[in-house]
Amino acid sequence: MGAVLGTGRVGTLTRVALTVVVLLLLLPTRALAAVVAADTSATLVETLPLPTSLVGPESVAFDEYGDGPYSGVSDGRILRWDGADRGWTTYSHPPGYSVAKCMAPKLRPAELTESKCGRPLGLRFHNVSGNLYIADAYKGLMRVGPRGGEAAVLATEADGVPFRFTNGVDVDQVTGEVYFTDSSTRFQRSQHERVTATGDSTGRLMSYDPTTGYLSVLESGMAYPNGLSLSADRSHLVVALTGPCKLVRHWIKGAKAGTSEPFAELPGYPDNVRPDGKGGYWVALHREKTESPYGSDSHLLAVRVSRDGKLVQELRGAKNVRPTEVMERDGGKLYLGSVELNHVAVVKATT
């Protein structure tokens, strides 16, 4: 090969060009898309530590005044960040919450504690009313008013089938319509690994009308539907399918209303989906598809997807951080929720 290509500058450039072509041909389709995505690192700005013994600020939300973040934690409560001096304070709790049972040392299996105390996952405010909607894995769809306090359970079943794993939620800020997912009708959150391992496809996408109380199943038979986000033009929902590592678009308006279509293939297992302020979405990745325990100390934390489903940015960070949500705020700050860590991390993306 070297004799044919020569040993001069032209030969060297030719060899480089051929090498690049061969490498590109060997890359899978998804990797080709990643080549054009901006590769950025998560630079830590600050951490918002939870009170002792609490973990898992899975989702983060901000109210209509920009206060927060608010987050649901492992003992079933919703906490609000009130600044470095006060830290986290209790904003809401589910019906039947007991400090003695839910804040006691975890001597029992997590699923027993969670089933009694609740496990809030997706959070989203309706800015006009100030109501906070909560997708609690065990309690169902809940709502708490603008002053906080005990949350009210709005729905625990659809079409006679109980929720088993209520997960993601979003709100149409114009109509007040609430959209949420039930990740499986067979497995609870404590069995989330079985949802993926068994290829379970019993998840559902639903809507709730707060004016009438009417609940509608928009789509059933879904493979681990998790987080979701309403598009900027309010015409469709982008829903993360965790097991298949992809996003789908479910149309709620227009000629395609009531139908779903592929939106994006992802390089990892997605959790929550949140708007990026540019018409696209931040998608938190709990784990990469082909993550290796060796080599680099960093891995993919999240990807930013454009409004037409293109991967335009990849965010990398330490392997001990496995975010469940990325929420972008003013100044480019990214708030990372996590189901495992004892804090909310605030980072910025740097090249």
Side-chain angles (χ1 to χ4, degrees):
M1 178 70 73
V4 174
L5 294 177
T7 57
R9 183 171 181 273
V10 174
T12 300
L13 291 175
T14 305
R15 284 197 300 273
V16 171
L18 285 176
T19 301
V20 171
V21 170
V22 170
L23 287 174
L24 289 175
L25 288 174
L26 290 175
L27 287 172
T29 303
R30 191 6 245 140
L32 284 172
V35 171
V36 298
D39 194 355
T40 55
S41 298
T43 300
L44 185 65
V45 176
E46 63 178 323
T47 59
L48 313 180
L50 295 176
T52 304
S53 81
L54 293 177
V55 296
E58 203 262 4
S59 179
V60 290
F62 292 82
D63 62 26
E64 67 270 32
Y65 305 108
D67 293 336
Y70 297 71
S71 190
V73 292
S74 54
D75 72 342
R77 288 180 295 160
I78 306 297
L79 305 182
R80 179 179 63 199
W81 178 255
D82 284 331
D85 292 338
R86 297 189 64 194
W88 295 93
T89 60
T90 299
Y91 181 71
S92 178
H93 60 82
Y97 178 84
S98 164
V99 172
K101 292 179 181 178
C102 301
M103 291 191 68
K106 299 295 188 288
L107 301 179
R108 295 175 294 172
E111 59 266 28
L112 295 181
T113 303
E114 290 185 353
S115 63
K116 294 181 181 298
C117 302
R119 185 56 173 101
L121 298 179
L123 305 178
R124 195 66 162 172
F125 276 96
H126 178 229
N127 292 335
V128 175
S129 64
N131 291 329
L132 174 64
Y133 288 89
I134 306 159
D136 187 291
Y138 296 86
K139 302 290 187 180
L141 180 66
M142 301 195 301
R143 178 177 63 204
V144 63
R147 294 186 178 180
E150 182 172 295
V153 176
L154 302 176
T156 59
E157 64 174 43
D159 293 344
V161 180
F163 303 156
R164 297 278 288 174
F165 190 173
T166 324
N167 202 333
V169 66
D170 201 2
V171 180
D172 186 323
Q173 297 297 333
V174 176
T175 66
E177 191 85 1
V178 181
Y179 300 96
F180 66 105
T181 59
D182 182 25
S183 293
S184 172
T185 61
R186 297 174 60 202
F187 301 109
Q188 293 185 311
R189 193 197 83 88
S190 59
Q191 303 166 302
H192 66 91
E193 291 180 351
R194 297 190 65 188
V195 182
T196 300
T198 63
D200 179 71
S201 295
T202 63
R204 295 177 290 178
L205 172 64
M206 289 163 287
S207 66
Y208 173 82
D209 185 335
T211 303
T212 64
Y214 181 73
L215 183 71
S216 176
V217 177
L218 302 179
E219 186 172 351
S220 58
M222 302 181 78
Y224 205 155
N226 198 325
L228 72 161
S229 182
L230 184 65
S231 64
D233 65 1
R234 303 171 41 247
S235 66
H236 61 272
L237 297 161
V238 171
V239 185
L241 303 184
T242 299
C245 297
K246 62 178 62 177
L247 302 176
V248 295
R249 173 162 52 191
H250 182 88
W251 292 95
I252 53 178
K253 291 182 179 180
K256 295 183 179 180
T259 66
S260 289
E261 62 190 18
F263 187 66
E265 295 286 336
L266 300 173
Y269 297 87
D271 204 296
N272 284 318
V273 183
R274 284 294 179 248
D276 68 352
K278 305 174 182 66
Y281 312 89
W282 276 109
V283 184
L285 301 178
H286 191 64
R287 183 164 58 87
E288 290 186 57
K289 272 184 183 177
T290 56
E291 187 168 308
S292 170
Y294 309 105
S296 173
D297 292 332
S298 69
H299 70 152
L300 275 176
L301 302 179
V303 292
R304 190 161 64 87
V305 181
S306 69
R307 68 182 69 203
D308 55 357
K310 301 289 193 307
L311 271 63
V312 294
Q313 187 173 353
E314 295 186 338
L315 182 67
R316 294 184 174 275
K319 284 188 175 179
N320 66 338
V321 179
R322 298 183 181 277
T324 48
E325 183 160 295
V326 176
M327 171 68 82
E328 184 164 359
R329 301 296 291 170
D330 295 341
K333 288 184 178 180
L334 302 174
Y335 288 74
L336 306 187
S338 168
V339 78
E340 299 171 348
L341 298 180
N342 62 356
H343 63 270
V344 169
V346 185
V347 305
K348 278 195 171 184
T350 57
T351 56

